[in-house]
Amino acid sequence: MRPPSPKKATNVKRFLALTLGLFAALLAFAHAQEPAAQGHWPMTLTDGIGREVTIAKKPEAILLGSGFNLVALSLIHPDPVRLLAGWSSDLQRDNPEIYKDFIARFPALADVPVIGDGTGDGLSFETILSLKADLAIMANWQADTELGKRAIDYLESTGVPVFVVDFNSDPLKNTPSTMRLLGRILEREAQANAFADFYEVHLKRITDRVAAAPEPGPTVLMHAFPDPDRCCFAYGAGGLGEFIGITGSRNIADRNMPRQGGLVSGEYLIAADPEVYIATASPGGTYSGFSIGPGVTADEARRTLGEVVKNPTLANLSGVRNGRVFGVWNFFNAVPLNILAAEAFARWLRPELFADVDPNASLTEINERFAAVPFEGSYWISLNP
């Protein structure tokens, strides 16, 4: 049998290509007509405190028990404000510069109803009931209080599932996994997984180098919201205190104290004589004479930190006398940006291991790759540049 003519062969190839193309289009169309929720919604997930939470559908009206969780949403969603049915006022109160930046980018935020003050006991149940939300997100520290537990019970009794996130008590373990879960809930998995991968890569760089250099780092006091009238609340082993431990350094307040820390006396500090002093605070000196964070210049942060360590008890500590004095934004303990604090601590506490680690470069990458609203200001500072 003779082979087909070139013209006939070409026609056969065109026919086959058209047939295969049509078949593929029909398959795609059929797939598109399947219910979007099939195999995806409802979704049951384990939240940050081990509760199983079932969410019926993709959330379109979210309540934020803490306004700080808007930061987490903004790292994985291009318009997080569009998702809000209501939120608490703690971000606006404690870090007004972040609020201003969000308002400038998303003016609709000004009209989002306020459901509480973020303390866990200021929720307005009457307002919540009127908002017809389909999901509430609470911080783990809120859910840990008696009033927070009552709020969860109330919300779930009205058909609103409550998902608890943890960027606070066990941040190194829970921040990346929490971001991945939020990505699933918001159907923004690619962005959320990319952020979690970024977090884990930067964290592993720290832990791997410390594992290879087992000699202990310096002793450290991390002093929360320094107040000239009382001394001193020191971070323990939990929260931001974890970022001392992962560098191989030694927190003078991580023993015989709650994980979150507690008050220590001047006599205790003098006896421990830490080799490094780190203060935490917020912008504008809201709770302390020290001012640091969004909207704060490096000059202001450095000047106010210098005033803090003039306190006679602090001034006599080895870390202060030797110029190893640093400051960091306290609210890293409420947002997934806390990896930046981990990098700053590594550079400060173990400079021989981490001279090439640059949290400024990491923040630039976060702003370029993830942030719906860029984060600007001085979030960490060295007294001696």
Side-chain angles (χ1 to χ4, degrees), residues 7 22 33-34 56-58 63 71 78 81 84 87 132 141 168 173 182 201 217 219 232 234 240 245 257 289 295 307:
K7 181 175 182 181
L22 179 61
Q33 301 312 304
E34 291 176 2
K57 64 183 184 67
K58 180 181 178 180
L63 302 175
V71 171
V81 172
L84 301 187
W87 75 322
K132 299 183 174 15
W141 57 266
N168 174 268
K173 174 185 174 184
L182 287 175
V201 166
T219 55
C232 298
L240 290 180
M257 293 189 72
E307 291 298 318

Side-chain angles (χ1 to χ4, degrees), residues 79-314:
D79 186 0
V81 172
R82 179 171 59 82
L83 304 174
L84 301 187
W87 75 322
S88 290
S89 60
D90 49 338
L91 174 69
Q92 180 179 357
R93 177 191 67 233
D94 293 330
N95 284 264
E97 289 299 325
I98 290 184
Y99 176 73
K100 289 177 186 175
D101 289 342
F102 270 88
I103 284 285
R105 176 69 178 84
F106 302 110
L109 182 60
D111 300 320
V112 175
V114 173
I115 61 171
D117 61 9
T119 62
D121 60 355
L123 289 174
S124 168
F125 292 160
E126 182 178 351
T127 302
I128 289 171
L129 189 60
S130 71
L131 295 177
K132 299 183 174 15
D134 49 26
L135 177 68
I137 297 174
M138 291 183 68
N140 68 301
W141 57 266
Q142 294 174 313
D144 221 17
T145 66
E146 192 57 41
L147 289 164
K149 293 172 185 174
R150 282 174 45 199
I152 291 174
D153 290 342
Y154 173 80
L155 286 161
E156 294 188 333
S157 74
T158 64
V160 181
V162 180
F163 191 82
V164 179
V165 298
D166 177 17
F167 304 118
N168 174 268
S169 66
D170 199 354
L172 296 174
K173 174 185 174 184
N174 290 337
T175 294
S177 59
T178 297
M179 293 298 281
R180 293 186 198 278
L181 290 173
L182 287 175
R184 291 183 62 188
I185 291 169
L186 302 180
E187 295 186 352
R188 297 284 302 173
E189 288 183 78
Q191 179 86 346
N193 289 341
F195 181 84
D197 290 345
F198 170 91
Y199 189 105
E200 289 168 342
V201 166
H202 284 243
L203 179 60
K204 189 174 186 297
R205 175 170 60 173
I206 296 172
T207 55
D208 282 357
R209 291 188 191 179
V210 170
E215 63 276 8
T219 55
V220 183
L221 166 65
M222 183 155 57
H223 183 187
F225 296 108
D227 182 340
D229 297 327
R230 64 174 184 170
C231 185
C232 298
F233 189 97
Y235 265 98
L240 290 180
E242 286 195 6
F243 300 123
I244 298 174
I246 63 163
T247 69
S249 302
R250 295 158 291 167
N251 184 347
I252 67 166
D254 68 356
R255 296 180 182 178
N256 304 315
M257 293 189 72
R259 273 180 58 80
Q260 70 271 22
L263 289 174
V264 294
S265 67
E267 291 78 10
Y268 179 89
L269 294 183
I270 292 169
D273 196 23
E275 297 166 284
V276 179
Y277 174 85
I278 301 174
T280 79
S282 57
T286 307
Y287 303 106
S288 167
F290 177 35
S291 175
I292 191 168
V296 178
T297 65
D299 285 345
E300 179 187 352
R302 188 169 288 115
R303 176 183 59 77
T304 55
L305 178 60
E307 291 298 318
V308 161
V309 292
K310 290 178 180 178
N311 174 288
T313 299
L314 301 179

Side-chain angles (χ1 to χ4, degrees), residues 206 220 222 240-247 249 278-280 324 326-329 332 339-351 354 359 380:
I206 296 172
V220 183
M222 183 155 57
L240 290 180
E242 286 195 6
F243 300 123
I244 298 174
I246 63 163
T247 69
S249 302
I278 301 174
T280 79
R324 298 191 73 179
F326 309 98
V328 67
W329 181 49
F332 275 125
I339 188 61
L340 300 171
E343 291 192 332
F345 282 34
R347 190 177 174 105
W348 294 335
L349 300 179
R350 305 293 298 276
F354 299 108
W380 52 89

Side-chain angles (χ1 to χ4, degrees), residues 42-55:
M43 179 188 293
T44 300
L45 302 169
T46 302
D47 72 5
I49 57 173
R51 300 165 56 253
E52 281 202 350
V53 180
T54 297
I55 304 169

